[in-house]
Amino acid sequence: RGWLARRKMRNLVVLYRILNANAKFIQAMYRGKFVRSRDELVMPAIFVLRARKLFEKRTNAATNIQCFWRIVVAILRLDSLRKEFILCRDSSTLIQSIVRRMIARRRLKRLQMYAEMYHYCCNKM
C-alpha cells in the first residue's frame, strides 16, 4: 500500500511542478509584455530591435535565395559532369576492348602460323 501511495504522490508532485512552471512562464511573459508596452524608455529600443530583425530577415531571404540558386546550378553542373564522365568511361572501355581484340587476333594468327609450321615440319619428316 505504501508503494502505491508514493507512486500516486510522485505523479501528483510532477504534475504540480509542471503546472507551476507553466503558470510562472505565462506570468513572466505577461509582465514583460505589459512593461514593454507601457515604458517610454524601452519602446524606442524595442522598435530598433524589431527594425533590425526585419532588415536581417530580408537580407537573409536574399542570401537564402542566392544559396538555393547556387545549389541548383551545382546540381545541374554535377549532373552534366556525371554524364560526361560516364560517356568518357564508356568510350575508353570501348577503345580498350577494340585494342585488346586486335592484340588477341594478332596472337591467334601467330599461334596459327606456328601450328601450321609445326604440322608442316612434322609431316615433312
Side-chain angles (χ1 to χ4, degrees), residues 10-11 15 22 34-35 45-46 49 55 59 61 70 80-81 94 112 120 124:
R10 188 180 331 128
N11 290 341
L15 182 63
N22 289 338
F34 182 76
V35 168
I46 291 175
L49 287 175
F55 177 74
T59 306
R70 287 183 187 128
S80 67
L81 287 174
L94 180 65
Q112 287 175 347
Y120 179 76
K124 193 174 184 182

Side-chain angles (χ1 to χ4, degrees), residues 58-81:
R58 289 179 180 165
T59 306
N60 289 340
T63 306
N64 289 340
I65 291 170
Q66 290 171 0
C67 180
F68 178 73
W69 178 248
R70 287 183 187 128
I71 290 171
V72 168
V73 170
I75 288 172
L76 292 175
R77 181 159 165 76
L78 181 67
D79 191 39
S80 67
L81 287 174

Side-chain angles (χ1 to χ4, degrees), residues 11 14 16 18 26 31 37 40 54-55 60 64 71 75-76 78 84 93 96-97 101-102 108-109 111 114 120 124:
N11 290 341
V14 170
Y16 173 76
I18 291 172
I26 291 170
R31 281 192 219 111
S37 65
E40 298 297 326
L54 183 62
F55 177 74
N60 289 340
N64 289 340
I71 290 171
I75 288 172
L76 292 175
L78 181 67
E84 184 180 339
T93 306
Q96 286 175 357
S97 68
R101 187 181 319 145
M102 287 172 37
L108 181 64
K109 284 182 182 178
L111 285 174
Y114 288 148
Y120 179 76
K124 193 174 184 182

Side-chain angles (χ1 to χ4, degrees), residues 78-116:
L78 181 67
D79 191 39
S80 67
L81 287 174
R82 183 180 294 124
K83 288 178 182 176
E84 184 180 339
F85 169 75
I86 290 172
L87 180 67
C88 290
R89 185 192 63 194
D90 291 346
S91 299
S92 63
T93 306
L94 180 65
I95 291 169
Q96 286 175 357
S97 68
I98 291 171
V99 170
R100 286 179 181 155
R101 187 181 319 145
M102 287 172 37
I103 292 171
R105 285 183 180 165
R106 285 182 190 164
R107 286 181 184 167
L108 181 64
K109 284 182 182 178
R110 192 177 310 137
L111 285 174
Q112 287 175 347
M113 185 177 69
Y114 288 148
E116 287 178 14

